[in-house]
Amino acid sequence: MDKIQEMHGRDMTLVVEKTLTATDMSRGQSRLSIPNKQIRQSFLREEEIRILDRKEGIKVSLIEPCLEVSHGLQLKRWNYKSRNFSYVLTERWNGVAHPYARNELMKDVVIQLWSFR
């Protein structure tokens, strides 16, 4: 929270608290899955939802657990045949997830993902 305030962030919202899976941590997958059913509250504006509905990505920055800020990640929406969907953080996710020492991220670690403006 201190880092968000330092960046003059506002509208902080806890998006999800989840346990990292093997695929979240797989270098080959290179993405963090944010399942819709696990999202605690809406965090997107109407225009952002429309962008994702058009299968476009939204460039986002991420405050890593080590408090470094990573830029250039993409937030996307992946739809599944079952009408379920997940948001995913792609591009540059491997730079956050690996090397392990910097953020201590690994399978079965519980993380929180917050949104702010």
Side-chain angles (χ1 to χ4, degrees), residues 102-116:
R102 184 171 80 206
N103 286 311
E104 299 179 359
L105 297 177
M106 59 190 72
K107 180 182 177 292
D108 297 326
V109 167
V110 176
I111 63 163
Q112 290 184 342
L113 183 66
W114 290 78
S115 169
F116 68 96

Side-chain angles (χ1 to χ4, degrees), residues 3 15-16 21 27 46 48 51 66 69 75 86 99 104 108:
K3 184 69 171 181
V15 175
V16 68
T21 65
R27 287 181 190 269
E46 289 298 319
E48 294 165 334
I51 290 168
C66 69
V69 179
L75 177 67
S86 289
E104 299 179 359
D108 297 326

Side-chain angles (χ1 to χ4, degrees), residues 7-25:
M7 296 172 69
H8 305 288
R10 62 188 189 335
D11 302 331
M12 292 175 273
T13 303
L14 177 59
V15 175
V16 68
E17 182 172 87
K18 71 168 276 184
T19 302
L20 292 173
T21 65
T23 54
D24 290 328
M25 296 308 298

Side-chain angles (χ1 to χ4, degrees), residues 7 15 31-32 34 43-45 48-49 51-52 56-64 68-77 87-93 96 113-117:
M7 296 172 69
V15 175
R31 57 95 181 123
L32 172 67
I34 309 161
F43 65 101
L44 295 169
R45 295 180 177 157
E48 294 165 334
I49 293 169
I51 290 168
L52 296 174
E56 298 174 27
I58 299 171
K59 289 261 188 217
V60 296
S61 297
L62 178 76
I63 301 173
E64 300 180 29
E68 289 184 34
V69 179
S70 288
H71 301 284
L73 286 88
Q74 287 274 330
L75 177 67
K76 296 183 178 182
R77 178 179 159 150
Y87 293 109
V88 290
L89 284 178
T90 63
E91 313 247 338
R92 306 191 186 203
W93 168 249
V96 175
L113 183 66
W114 290 78
S115 169
F116 68 96
R117 306 289 170 169

